[in-house]
Each structure stands twice: as structure tokens, then as C-alpha cells.
Amino acid sequence: MATAFGSYTGKILKINLAEKTCEEYPFSDKEREMFLGGKILAAKIIYDNIKHKIDAYDDENIIVVSTGPLNGTAAPSSSRFNISAISPLTGLLSSSNCGGNFGMSLKRAGYDALVITGKAAEKTLLKITEDKVDFLSADGLWGLKTGETQEKIGGKCGKIVIGPAGENLVRYACIVSEERAAGRGGLGAVMGSKNLKAVTAEGALLPKVKNRERLKTLNYKWAKLLQNHPLTGAQLPKLGTAGLLTTMQMKHILATKNFSAGQYDEFDKISGEHMSEKFLIKNKGCLTCPIKCARVVNIHGKNVKGPEVEIMGLMGANILNNDLEKIMLWNYEMDEYGMDTISTSGCFAFAMELNEKGLWDNGLEFGKIDRVSEVIKEIAFRSSEVGDVMAEGTKRMSERFGGKDFCISSKGMELSAYEPRAAVGQGLGYAVSNRGGCHLNAGYLVVLEGLGLSINPYTHSGKATLSMTFQDLMEAVSAGGSCLFTTYAFFPSFLLTKPNSLMTRIVNKILPYLGGALYLAGKLPWILPVNLPPIFPHPVVINAATGMKLNFGKMLRVGERGYNLERLVNQRMGVKASDDALPKRLTDTLQDPKNPKSRVPLETMKKRYYASRSWDKEGHPTKRLIKRLGIVYDMEGTE
Ligand code: SF4
């Protein structure tokens, strides 16, 4: 279906694996304006096609691989693409963002998105080029790790692949492109359940942008903005996300011993600074990214992607391990087997505590790391009883062995490394997040509560609207095709470089109340018809690329629409208020016995959050809200 907008190819390809057929999936320009691309476009397609509760491994599950309008435009940090499906880990919609080369290649092949349906009868490699789709045998690839698979496929095409974990239906298996992963939610297992080992895309169709000269100027200014910002121009290039670990320790938000504490005595041995001094070979970035936050380290004589802060915290402090070299190795092994580093790490900490408490005799102990590599492999291949159990994720482990109060997951998804009792807004986000215990889909409020700014981390005041606003903002940024780290520039530099200045202190005080103002702006976008290119260039750049007429208020509205659409899909999958939960360790046990506020006051914040979102008591979007967002209400038969 042709499009009048620049930068889009105007085509979405629907592939039926069972019948080996392809057709164009209709999508109008009105829908492009409403749903933009990436995860929101995917949510719209899944909302329109999966109308009742299904299991992630049912043939009816759909995998949507989608790009945003900025993919392929050379805008800074714009090579990110999205993969969505119903998740085998949570049973809900999961969207995972990836930085490899596939998104760009898909657009060059002539498609904005893929809608993959059905289940292949044989192990399959899908090859997409400008004029055809080949359904090839993947017999020779099955069993290979993610790196080996990509190497064997060869060529210059963009690739997404799964490893043994996806083939063996590990519920948190990921999908890999180059060395980047669509990590969360077990989407690799959905590919595995469809007998789909890999998809490649290749072509030379560069989508035309609407205003090339203006886009070039805006991109140049945006890259400068990112390069001059203390987070995106200094900390991330120098230390990567790993640089956050020391701040997490200082602010009591470094998950330690399965989230029983927020500080680890030996944090300096697993810090980003230590990695930079001892192991860093160079930094590296996704295509078109001036930030280059990735680390390159050497494992067994091979230069590979280094660990992010989440696994450094979770396979370090959270299992009482101070050996950074081992964390680097496990990170590499998990990537190669194709499993999510965050969920795998969460399973280790939980298994260790179950063993410590005598609930499951599995041989794993806090601080004892000799068997970790072995068990990672056993999980990937489900080749031992311990590995097979851990491949199911912490929620199912707790259903079998108990320990629900310290099972650190939400909606079945393991939390990342930020201990929320010293950042309660992050705690709220973890609980209400559409994809489960994810720091990013949560709204990433920990950045405001300690990692970057310093708003009071223990108060619930203002956290509900702030969470909602940042969730919506990040939703729209992701749908546009940008990396979420580009939103860091949203915070003026002085807030980070002069933390004790009067101005910074004032901003920290008033920021919790800004959520209310932004909430109003989201509800009535016409009151905010402005653009803020010095801190939030995304809508202006999308306009130059596409010819749309977005502004800050409209971007917020797009994000709100996306977040609610995802919630509607989850509602069909059965989500309700009791699923927006955290384990009692985080809500009922104080992190610091002397600080009565060092727990997540979830129920108080949740009520306010639902009210801010215009959700009912069960956490379901109201009909009125859905109408206001322009979504067709189609929930008959859903409780
Ligand atoms: S900031 Fe990091 S994750 Fe984001 S696009 Fe750049 S290199 Fe990739």
C-alpha cells in the first residue's frame, strides 16, 4: 500500500510459515500517523489479529518485526528495530528492541515491517529480498549458536537468528542480530516454536525522506546535542551503561543477594570503571550512533561485546560474585546460546536462595560460581533437571518450590538490577509495566530518582504521573525508531554536572509535580503544540523525514495510545490489577530497618497511577479513554 509519507516504504509483508505464502498487509497513512512504527505499530497489528487469549506457542501467535520512520534516515542512534509477540514468559504482549543491522536491511528490502504467522512444518530460514521471499531449509543451522548461525548464513544481509535456547523453548530465549539482542520476553522461543531459525533481509531500496536538506541539518545538530551532553557525550561513551553501577551502589539501588539489599561491599571489583581499566578494548556503537555505548572486551582471544550494567549487577552483587572476568564470559555465553541475560541472571539468584532456604536442593550457592557456565549451558539445552527447571523462569520455579515472597519478578518477568526500595517510582513502574519487570517499559524513573537526577527516591508523591509520562514518552521515541538513550538529553546538562546548585535543587523539588502538567498536556495535546528541539528533537526530525506534523504534545499522545493499546492486548490475555504486583520482599520488608520509607508503597501509587491513566479498578483502560485515543474498542468477550 503506497504512502504519501517520506521515509516509510509503505509496505508491510505478511508471511504464512505453514502455507509458505506471502501477501501485503494493509496499513493506511492514517494508521501510520496514529501508530508511527516500531512497538506501537506492532501492538496495533497484534490487537487487530489476536482477539482472544492464546498460548505463546499456539500457531495463532504472530511475530511482528517492525521499524520506525527514522530507521534508515541516518538520524542519530536510529538503527533500532522492534520485535513483538505474545510472550511465553509472561503470557502477555512482549516487545523487545534491538540494535543490530536487520531493521535497516528490512527497509532496504522494501518493507517497514514483517508479520510472521503460522508454524513451519520444517526448520526454516526465511530469506527476504526486494522481489521475493524464499523459504529455505534451516537443517544445517539448527543447533548452532547465534554467532555461528550468522557466520554460516554469511553475506552482507541483515539477520535475526535464535540460538539453542530458542530452539529448546527456554522461556526467556532472545533473538540476536549481529551482537545485539531483542532480549526480553522469550521471543526467541516463539521463533523456535514456529521452527524459524533465522530471517535475513537484503536490498538496495533506500526509502526517500521528505526534506533531505532539513533532515541533514537537524541530524547534525542532534548529534552535536548528544555529543555535548554529560551522559550521552561523556559517561556512556567512556564507561557504557556499566558506568551506572557505582552510582547504583552509592544510592542503595544495586540489587544484592537476590534483592535482599541495595549495596554490595565489593562493588568496585565489578564496576564499569574496573572494566574500563582492566578489560576494555574499545567502545562500539549501533549503526548511525554517535553515543557508542557498547563495550568491546576479549574472551578466549576473541573480541566480543562486553556486558551491560544489568548483568554486571545481577551476576555480580545479586549472586555475591566479585569476579568481573567471569561475568564477561557468562554474558558472552548467554548471547551465544541466545538467552536473555537479565532473566537468566534472575533465575540464578532465585535458585541460590531456594537452595539456601532448603526449598530446592540444586547445588547452587551465593558466592560459589564454579558451576555457573555449566548451568547456563544446561538451561540452553534443557539438558539437566536443574537446567530444565530454570529454563521455565522464576515464576514457574516459585510455583513448584515456593518462595513467592522473594521471587523477584513481575508478571513473570525477572526484574533488572535496580533495587526499587530506594527508588520507589521505579518500583511502581516494574509492577505496572506492560511487558513485566522491565526497567525501560516501566518508564525508567530510577534515572530521576538517583542515576541522573536526585528527586526524592522514597516519596510516592508525583511518581504515578511521572511514571505514566515517561512510559508514554519512551513508547513514542521507540516507535519512531530511536534508541531510548537519546531521551537522556531531555535533562539539561547543568542538572547532572551541578547537582548541588540552587537551580538543580529547585528542579529536583518541583519535578515530581511536572508529571501532572505533562499529564494534562497528554490529555489535551493542543495545549502543548510546541517543539523543544534543544532537548527533545524527535518530533521535528520525524517531521522532516516523513512530512508529518508532530509536536511534543502529539508525540505524548502517540505514546499514550501505544501504551494503552498494549494494555488492551494484555487485557485480552487476562491481565488484571492483581498482576500489577511485586514480591513482598520489595513491598513489605524494609531495605533499611531504620528508614520506614525504604519499601515500595505499591498499592498507594498504583491507585494514583490507574486514576492518572483513566484505568478502572481492574487496571483496564476505560471505553471513554480508548475512544479519546482514537482506538476502535473491540473487547467484547474479554472480561
Ligand atoms: S546508545 Fe548504545 S544502544 Fe543506543 S543506539 Fe547507541 S550504541 Fe546502540
Side-chain angles (χ1 to χ4, degrees):
M1 188 178 280
T3 174
F5 290 126
S7 187
Y8 289 95
T9 68
K11 274 179 157 179
I12 294 176
L13 183 66
K14 183 175 174 186
I15 299 166
N16 186 321
L17 289 170
E19 292 169 12
K20 297 191 182 180
T21 55
C22 298
E23 60 184 312
E24 196 176 327
Y25 185 93
F27 210 75
S28 68
D29 271 356
K30 187 171 175 232
E31 289 171 312
R32 280 182 193 94
E33 271 189 302
M34 286 179 72
F35 305 104
L36 214 53
K39 73 197 302 260
I40 305 183
L41 177 146
K44 163 71 175 154
I45 292 172
I46 290 173
Y47 179 69
D48 286 346
N49 287 279
I50 303 181
K51 303 217 169 184
H52 58 92
K53 187 173 169 61
I54 61 162
D55 185 85
Y57 298 142
D58 286 347
D59 293 1
E60 285 169 273
N61 201 359
I62 297 170
I63 302 171
V64 181
V65 186
S66 46
T67 62
L70 291 185
N71 292 128
T73 64
S77 319
S78 64
S79 66
R80 315 281 311 183
F81 64 98
N82 174 79
I83 308 179
S84 293
I86 301 300
S87 154
L89 190 64
T90 63
L92 306 172
L93 177 61
S94 196
S95 300
S96 207
N97 199 264
C98 189
N101 61 2
F102 187 81
M104 199 91 102
S105 304
L106 183 64
K107 267 197 159 173
R108 284 176 182 269
Y111 302 106
D112 292 322
L114 302 177
V115 181
I116 302 172
T117 68
K119 175 179 174 166
E122 299 109 27
K123 297 171 177 64
T124 298
L125 158 67
L126 268 181
K127 190 175 166 197
I128 299 164
T129 48
E130 286 172 32
D131 47 6
K132 65 177 175 137
V133 176
D134 291 313
F135 297 77
L136 306 174
S137 166
D139 278 347
L141 299 173
W142 210 256
L144 296 185
K145 294 180 190 166
T146 58
E148 294 166 340
T149 307
Q150 295 183 81
E151 224 173 283
K152 191 152 182 191
I153 293 171
K156 289 190 176 149
C157 52
K159 306 170 187 84
I160 48 174
V161 306
I162 58 168
E167 297 168 10
N168 293 309
L169 308 189
V170 174
R171 286 187 187 270
Y172 42 87
C174 64
I175 299 173
V176 172
S177 179
E178 297 184 298
E179 285 186 296
R180 291 275 169 178
R184 306 236 63 197
L187 303 178
V190 181
M191 265 180 78
S193 75
K194 291 183 178 299
N195 276 329
L196 183 59
K197 175 72 177 176
V199 186
T200 69
E202 192 169 15
L205 297 169
L206 206 61
K208 282 197 176 124
V209 297
K210 211 63 175 183
N211 190 335
R212 184 156 296 281
E213 281 314 305
R214 179 158 166 70
L215 186 62
K216 223 168 132 184
T217 311
L218 288 169
N219 283 348
Y220 177 78
K221 285 187 184 163
W222 193 359
K224 285 275 162 241
L225 171 76
L226 294 169
Q227 280 163 344
N228 291 328
H229 193 272
L231 281 178
T232 50
Q235 179 167 331
L236 280 172
K238 191 166 167 240
L239 298 172
T241 57
L244 298 172
L245 193 131
T246 301
T247 315
M248 289 158 71
Q249 166 77 7
M250 300 306 158
K251 304 276 181 169
H252 300 237
I253 47 182
L254 176 62
T256 300
K257 202 181 179 203
N258 197 29
F259 284 71
S260 59
Q263 287 186 311
Y264 177 48
D265 290 347
E266 300 187 75
F267 78 95
D268 52 329
K269 295 185 182 147
I270 55 163
S271 69
E273 290 81 354
H274 186 59
M275 184 160 74
S276 265
E277 276 161 28
K278 288 265 182 187
F279 305 110
L280 184 68
I281 290 175
K282 58 176 181 176
N283 65 334
K284 194 178 165 185
C286 306
L287 286 167
T288 78
C289 182
I291 304 171
K292 300 194 185 338
C293 75
R295 317 284 83 198
V296 176
V297 296
N298 193 284
I299 307 277
H300 298 327
K302 194 175 170 192
N303 286 355
V304 300
K305 189 187 80 173
E308 304 289 338
V309 67
E310 284 79 24
I311 185 174
M312 289 168 73
L314 292 172
M315 286 308 262
N318 209 38
I319 63 163
L320 302 185
N321 162 48
N322 65 14
D323 188 337
L324 182 54
E325 234 177 323
K326 280 282 189 294
I327 298 175
M328 287 163 26
L329 172 69
W330 300 332
N331 182 64
Y332 175 62
E333 288 172 346
M334 290 178 204
D335 281 353
E336 283 290 293
Y337 290 128
M339 51 215 273
D340 176 33
T341 55
I342 296 178
S343 282
T344 311
S345 308
C347 288
F348 268 97
F350 187 51
M352 286 172 182
E353 189 158 352
L354 286 173
N355 191 27
E356 187 179 76
K357 290 196 158 50
L359 295 168
W360 180 30
D361 181 9
N362 55 42
L364 293 167
E365 287 174 37
F366 287 111
K368 261 188 80 181
I369 56 170
D370 48 325
R371 274 205 72 226
V372 171
S373 273
E374 216 175 298
V375 175
I376 290 172
K377 188 174 179 187
E378 288 168 13
I379 296 171
F381 287 92
R382 289 183 178 266
S383 56
S384 69
E385 198 197 328
V386 169
D388 193 40
V389 169
M390 286 172 72
E392 291 290 290
T394 53
K395 182 176 167 226
R396 288 170 177 82
M397 286 160 72
S398 77
E399 283 160 5
R400 181 158 169 190
F401 301 110
K404 278 194 179 160
D405 293 354
F406 55 90
C407 172
I408 309 298
S409 59
S410 180
K411 299 190 182 80
M413 181 184 277
E414 292 70 23
L415 268 52
S416 53
Y418 309 103
E419 215 283 39
R421 288 178 295 181
V424 302
Q426 182 65 44
L428 169 69
Y430 276 140
V432 298
S433 150
N434 280 330
R435 77 170 176 179
C438 163
H439 56 297
L440 297 170
N441 198 225
Y444 211 8
L445 233 56
V446 70
V447 172
L448 274 64
E449 293 178 302
L451 286 188
L453 308 192
S454 291
I455 68 172
N456 185 341
Y458 295 107
T459 181
H460 53 71
S461 178
K463 299 290 169 70
T465 41
L466 269 182
S467 287
M468 181 190 78
T469 306
F470 277 86
Q471 284 168 346
D472 292 349
L473 213 52
M474 288 165 82
E475 186 89 357
V477 165
S478 179
S482 298
C483 175
L484 291 179
F485 287 149
T486 58
T487 58
Y488 278 176
F490 193 66
F491 306 108
S493 301
F494 74 88
L495 294 174
L496 303 145
T497 53
K498 296 184 178 149
N500 297 318
S501 73
L502 179 66
M503 188 53 112
T504 305
R505 279 185 280 141
I506 292 173
V507 170
N508 280 330
K509 278 267 180 272
I510 63 167
L511 205 57
Y513 305 100
L514 188 67
L518 288 170
Y519 161 76
L520 263 184
K523 291 270 181 286
L524 314 164
W526 44 268
I527 67 167
L528 208 62
V530 292
N531 273 313
L532 311 162
I535 57 170
F536 191 70
H538 304 73
V540 192
V541 179
I542 293 172
N543 291 347
T546 62
M548 286 181 183
K549 292 191 169 48
L550 288 170
N551 55 40
F552 186 71
K554 285 186 185 170
M555 268 303 260
L556 263 180
R557 171 61 63 91
V558 168
E560 187 188 13
R561 187 176 292 124
Y563 216 84
N564 280 285
L565 201 50
E566 289 172 358
R567 187 75 183 189
L568 289 175
V569 174
N570 282 352
Q571 191 179 331
R572 283 193 188 140
M573 299 303 129
V575 91
K576 49 194 175 316
S578 56
D579 297 308
D580 292 332
L582 290 175
K584 279 192 178 162
R585 170 165 290 169
L586 303 177
T587 56
D588 292 19
T589 310
L590 297 177
Q591 187 199 69
D592 172 4
K594 291 187 200 133
N595 179 357
K597 292 197 164 174
S598 62
R599 65 173 192 91
V600 182
L602 183 59
E603 289 311 312
T604 310
M605 290 191 290
K606 216 165 97 175
K607 263 188 211 135
R608 292 184 191 175
Y609 178 85
Y610 284 5
S612 302
R613 279 242 174 252
S614 304
W615 288 357
D616 65 19
K617 283 186 183 152
E618 268 309 330
H620 296 154
T622 57
K623 268 189 192 173
R624 205 164 148 210
L625 166 69
I626 294 310
K627 194 173 165 205
R628 176 169 71 71
L629 294 173
I631 300 169
V632 176
Y633 191 84
D634 184 10
M635 301 296 289
E636 301 320 319
T638 306
E639 283 174 28

